[in-house]
Amino acid sequence: MAKFKGAIVVNTERCKGCDLCVVACPTETLALSNDANSKGYNFSFMEKEENCTGCAACAHVCPDACITVYRIKI
Amino acid sequence: MSSIQDIVDPANLVYEKTTVMNDTPMHYCPGCSHGVVHKILGEIIQEMGIQEKTIGVAPVGCAVFAYKYLDIDWQQAAHGRAPAVATAIKRLLPDRYVFTYQGDGDLAAIGTAETIHACSRGENIAIIYINNGIYGMTGGQMAPTTLPGMKSTTSPNGRDQQLEGHALDMSKLLVQLDGVCYVTRQSVHTVGAVRKTKKAIRKALENSMLNKGTSIVEVVSTCNSGWRMSPADSNTWMEENMFPVYGLGDLKDI
Amino acid sequence: MTKHSEEITLMKGNEAVAHAAVRCGCDGYFGYPITPQSEILETLMEIEPWKTTGMVVLQAESEVASINMVYGGAGCGKKVMTTSSSPGVSLMQEGVSYMAGAELPGVIVNVMRGGPGLGTIQPSQADYFQAVKGGGHGDYRMPVLAPASVQEMADFTVLAFDLAFKYLTPTMILADGIIGQMMEKVILPPFRPRRTEDEIREQCPWATLGKTPERDPNYISSLELRSEEMEKINLRLQARYREIEKHEVRYEEIQCDDAEYIFVAFGTMARVCQKAVELARAEGIKAGLLRPVTLFPYPTQRVSVLAQTVKGFLSVEMSAGQMVEDVRLAVSGTVPVEFYGRMGGIVPSPSEVLNALKTKFL
């Protein structure tokens, strides 16, 4: 079975820290940062980047289209 | 072991924001379902290559500013009148994809007549109906769709059916109209649900070119601000409380 | 050029509106039946213009829907219209205000009947305030044309569209039950082709015809939450209304040159007053008639000039006295302005009007 490794890039200024991507992530990669963007939102980031498979679940549920997803086969 | 820098490369891109959606920050509250549906719409329009041929009709309500976010031509209708506005657009421009985007306050309360008659005439439009059981824009008042017992600012002790009537299931009502070809109820709270909603909206837009009649995609949605919950808790609450009343799935598909 | 267009036909005012609409290249009609104007929709359904010019005709579920269909069609740069009578036009006020706010052209015909409420189906002119002062919410005005004949019902249908598109504003034809129902000879306007989409794109670059790669998205809206910006929009609208006032005043004068007393009347009442002028002259009373053709913009300037030479004005209306306020504003107290009117669908006779003149002034 092919395995994937992924990575996401969060548009941190656009992110509102709603947490829905964190909940949707099946590999517990994501968390909300302790840092805040200029609007005061704690944006999402890859806390455990080694877990990411690039499944894009986070991006699909993101209401603000902040997440870009990349993936490679390993 | 590949580093993040290696993976983040255009060649490995699997998902990015649709180009139909622009970079204007959306005014919606964090976690609002509207954003997801907007994004889906943009993706469908991009995938179908119909940006030049699509005209949206925005409602009064939270989605009143939809035109700021999706780079297509829009008209913003008076409260509830979107189906009438869309009727004229589609009749005058029959080769365009015309859709309305309406909330439950707009579609199920003040615009009930316009909705029912557009559907009864079988207008070849797609109606995207965001049902979160509440008036979001004005601060969480009771809507016709508010669940029995559900609290809102105008039913602070919970909706009393004796006093305030019952939750109005518009999709169930519209199914009965001969002008309607497709009624489906979806949601956007999970990846699977998002995919299904995307398929449904695409189908509704495609139907609008087949002279089959009106298509309605109800998206059972959250209003975490109005509901006074976190976005994640809202999704759970929706599954537990909204879905038993507004069950997901196709109600009509001909 | 075509002989056909010069043909004199006999028809109702309502029918003339329908025929004129098709001939002037109207793209869409959206309406709801109400007496005394249902013949407009009926005529359109009878002549089936969608088979000839491609014009869309749709019977809507309500006047509310009708005017919002007009909004939608106008937003696409199309020539669209609706017609109704007083109670129905009241229902349309929301849409008219939205059209004014969104700067959309469109034609609304009000074949007035007596009110308030459901009132009567007999003719009236009691919607003057509603039409002229802005019947919906917010600071807006719209051109209002007052036809006094079947011919003008046809001609003003064409003119109303021209004004609507020139100034990007809803435009009203304010007729009454008599003008709508009576039959007269009429020469219908020549056929003008409906505009192509390319022509619309060129003439109405704001129209929502679909976003092309060369331009930004178009959106039609009357919403602007930032006060400074909303005030700017209002100032732009007000400037446009001043332009309309400057360029579009229309009126007709009958025997005003040597008149000592002038009837001011529009529509059906102007016809009655024209006869009253004849009766007055036969008795040696130097009467004249000023007939405002545009109710907005009002012939204020002309009234004030006439006020310098006459002994008084009598505003005659099928209402409790609405237009008389504009006559008084124009006259500004220099000479007496009196009013005579009937309500409830009653049309004063010429002798009744002449008696009123005598009673008030002689």
Side-chain angles (χ1 to χ4, degrees):
Chain A
M1 194 179 119
K3 282 199 167 182
F4 294 98
K5 177 147 180 56
I8 66 163
V9 175
V10 178
N11 182 339
T12 53
E13 258 317 287
R14 202 174 157 93
C15 177
K16 293 172 184 161
C18 74
D19 203 37
L20 289 180
C21 57
V22 177
V23 175
C25 177
T27 60
E28 295 180 352
T29 304
L30 301 178
L32 294 186
S33 170
N34 288 327
D35 296 333
N37 64 20
S38 70
K39 293 191 178 110
Y41 291 124
N42 298 107
F43 48 82
S44 153
F45 80 113
M46 287 199 290
E47 188 183 43
K48 297 173 191 160
E49 50 191 49
E50 65 280 6
N51 287 6
C52 182
T53 62
C55 72
C58 53
H60 281 289
V61 300
C62 173
D64 289 283
C66 314
I67 300 175
T68 309
V69 185
Y70 301 88
R71 158 183 256 195
I72 55 168
K73 212 184 253 186
I74 51 171
Chain B
M1 198 69 186
S2 309
S3 72
I4 298 295
Q5 284 72 24
D6 294 336
I7 303 171
V8 177
D9 183 285
N12 304 327
L13 182 73
V14 287
Y15 187 96
E16 66 177 338
K17 178 171 75 64
T18 163
T19 54
V20 174
M21 177 175 272
N22 58 41
D23 291 329
T24 308
M26 291 192 277
H27 71 288
Y28 300 115
C29 304
C32 177
S33 308
H34 274 305
V36 184
V37 183
H38 282 23
K39 193 178 65 177
I40 291 173
L41 250 170
E43 288 172 6
I44 295 166
I45 291 166
Q46 184 175 354
E47 286 162 21
M48 290 174 73
I50 57 171
Q51 196 171 7
E52 288 185 43
K53 294 186 75 178
T54 305
I55 301 164
V57 183
V60 168
C62 288
V64 69
F65 289 122
Y67 60 80
K68 289 189 178 182
Y69 313 129
L70 292 179
D71 283 346
I72 55 170
D73 280 359
W74 284 94
Q75 292 197 26
Q76 190 261 306
H79 201 15
R81 318 302 176 212
V85 171
T87 291
I89 299 172
K90 181 66 180 182
R91 292 217 176 207
L92 289 158
L93 301 168
D95 65 341
R96 303 306 200 281
Y97 293 86
V98 181
F99 70 89
T100 71
Y101 187 106
Q102 304 174 259
D104 47 309
D106 194 82
L107 180 142
I110 195 166
T112 317
E114 285 76 14
T115 303
I116 286 177
H117 285 281
C119 288
S120 182
R121 288 190 301 265
E123 300 295 342
N124 288 296
I125 58 173
I127 294 176
I128 298 165
Y129 167 37
I130 308 298
N131 177 11
N132 54 21
I134 208 163
Y135 284 87
M137 185 65 132
T138 45
Q141 292 82 12
M142 182 176 64
T145 45
T146 299
L147 301 179
M150 185 173 165
K151 286 184 179 176
S152 74
T153 59
T154 52
S155 56
N157 300 313
R159 183 176 190 168
D160 178 347
Q161 291 180 89
Q162 288 296 319
L163 207 61
E164 285 135 353
H166 307 275
L168 177 56
D169 186 339
M170 282 300 287
S171 287
K172 211 190 231 171
L173 201 147
L174 296 172
V175 157
Q176 301 166 52
L177 303 177
D178 290 338
V180 169
C181 65
Y182 180 48
V183 184
T184 189
R185 188 145 47 204
Q186 301 296 337
S187 191
V188 290
H189 62 307
T190 64
V191 182
V194 170
R195 290 214 171 93
K196 279 187 185 170
T197 301
K198 187 169 168 183
K199 237 172 115 182
I201 294 176
R202 178 168 182 143
K203 183 173 187 165
L205 286 171
E206 286 168 350
N207 282 347
S208 74
M209 286 296 165
L210 302 175
N211 203 28
K212 290 171 74 173
T214 314
S215 298
I216 298 112
V217 180
E218 175 178 345
V219 185
V220 182
S221 301
T222 61
C223 176
N224 56 75
S225 293
W227 293 0
R228 314 283 191 261
M229 294 175 205
S230 74
D233 288 349
S234 294
N235 277 342
T236 309
W237 192 89
M238 175 173 68
E239 289 179 76
E240 289 171 357
N241 296 277
M242 295 281 277
F243 292 174
V245 179
Y246 303 114
L248 304 191
D250 288 352
L251 284 78
K252 187 176 190 178
D253 185 6
I254 51 174
Chain C
M1 162 204 124
T2 52
K3 252 203 139 174
H4 186 64
S5 65
E6 293 299 314
E7 260 174 35
I8 295 173
T9 44
L10 184 71
M11 62 174 67
K12 287 186 174 192
N14 287 336
E15 294 166 339
V17 169
H19 286 283
V22 177
R23 283 166 171 260
C24 77
C26 180
D27 295 299
Y29 172 95
F30 306 92
Y32 184 78
I34 182 171
T35 307
Q37 63 80 54
S38 298
E39 293 85 355
I40 302 175
L41 176 57
E42 288 169 352
T43 303
L44 286 167
M45 288 302 188
E46 179 92 29
I47 58 182
E48 302 182 315
W50 53 93
K51 291 181 179 171
T52 51
T53 70
M55 176 181 170
V56 168
V57 183
L58 182 62
Q59 179 170 335
E61 66 271 29
S62 68
E63 291 89 349
V64 175
S66 303
I67 192 68
N68 284 284
M69 289 172 183
V70 169
Y71 180 102
C76 300
K78 298 283 185 176
K79 286 175 81 168
V80 286
M81 68 184 297
T82 184
T83 67
S84 189
S85 179
S86 308
V89 176
S90 289
L91 279 170
M92 291 182 184
Q93 293 305 314
E94 173 199 46
V96 176
S97 172
Y98 273 66
M99 286 180 71
E103 301 174 58
L104 290 180
V107 173
I108 302 115
V109 181
N110 180 359
V111 183
M112 287 181 284
R113 58 188 252 183
L118 198 51
T120 170
I121 59 170
Q122 301 303 325
S124 167
Q125 296 179 320
D127 301 348
Y128 179 92
F129 283 152
Q130 185 194 59
V132 169
K133 308 295 180 186
H137 59 282
D139 272 318
Y140 76 92
R141 310 296 285 270
M142 64 178 156
V144 179
L145 300 165
S149 64
V150 172
Q151 184 63 54
E152 284 189 342
M153 284 289 258
D155 295 346
F156 290 0
T157 301
V158 183
L159 175 61
F161 273 117
D162 291 345
L163 292 174
F165 276 86
K166 184 175 178 186
Y167 296 101
L168 297 182
T169 172
T171 299
M172 181 171 277
I173 297 174
L174 192 66
D176 62 66
I178 288 187
I179 303 292
Q181 289 296 324
M182 74 180 176
M183 294 185 86
E184 276 186 329
K185 66 179 184 186
V186 57
I187 298 170
L188 291 171
F191 275 101
R192 271 198 229 172
R194 289 173 55 231
R195 289 180 305 165
T196 63
E197 272 191 31
D198 284 342
E199 286 168 336
I200 294 173
R201 281 185 200 279
E202 196 191 316
Q203 293 164 25
C204 307
W206 43 265
T208 58
L209 292 166
K211 181 211 168 310
T212 49
E214 318 85 70
R215 67 160 169 83
D216 288 335
N218 282 340
Y219 67 90
I220 305 296
S221 174
S222 57
L223 178 69
E224 176 51 73
L225 294 180
R226 296 165 297 178
S227 299
E228 293 78 12
E229 296 303 314
M230 193 63 223
E231 188 179 49
K232 278 184 204 159
I233 292 169
N234 269 280
L235 291 170
R236 183 170 75 229
L237 291 176
Q238 291 301 319
R240 195 171 305 160
Y241 303 147
R242 299 297 86 77
E243 284 295 300
I244 293 170
E245 285 171 337
K246 197 168 153 192
H247 299 294
E248 305 300 343
V249 173
R250 288 168 172 79
Y251 56 87
E252 183 189 14
E253 285 180 28
I254 290 168
Q255 294 192 269
C256 284
D257 291 348
D258 64 340
E260 294 182 338
Y261 302 97
I262 290 182
F263 295 112
V264 189
F266 65 96
T268 289
M269 279 323 301
R271 294 170 70 114
V272 174
C273 288
Q274 190 175 348
K275 186 70 187 169
V277 168
E278 282 176 32
L279 297 178
R281 293 266 169 180
E283 293 184 24
I285 302 166
K286 285 187 177 171
L289 167 65
L290 176 71
R291 174 172 80 95
V293 168
T294 50
L295 301 179
F296 178 82
Y298 198 75
T300 306
Q301 188 61 30
R302 187 59 195 156
V303 173
S304 67
V305 169
L306 289 169
Q308 292 166 10
T309 55
V310 301
K311 293 179 178 170
F313 293 91
L314 181 65
S315 186
V316 187
E317 307 168 46
M318 290 188 283
S319 74
Q322 300 191 8
M323 181 181 70
V324 64
E325 293 191 3
D326 284 333
V327 182
R328 288 196 174 118
L329 278 172
V331 169
S332 200
T334 53
V335 288
V337 177
E338 297 287 352
F339 169 76
Y340 184 74
R342 298 291 299 271
M343 292 165 280
I346 293 173
V347 186
S349 68
S351 56
E352 191 179 345
V353 170
L354 177 58
N355 280 339
L357 180 77
K358 290 179 186 168
T359 312
K360 308 264 185 196
F361 289 108
L362 303 173

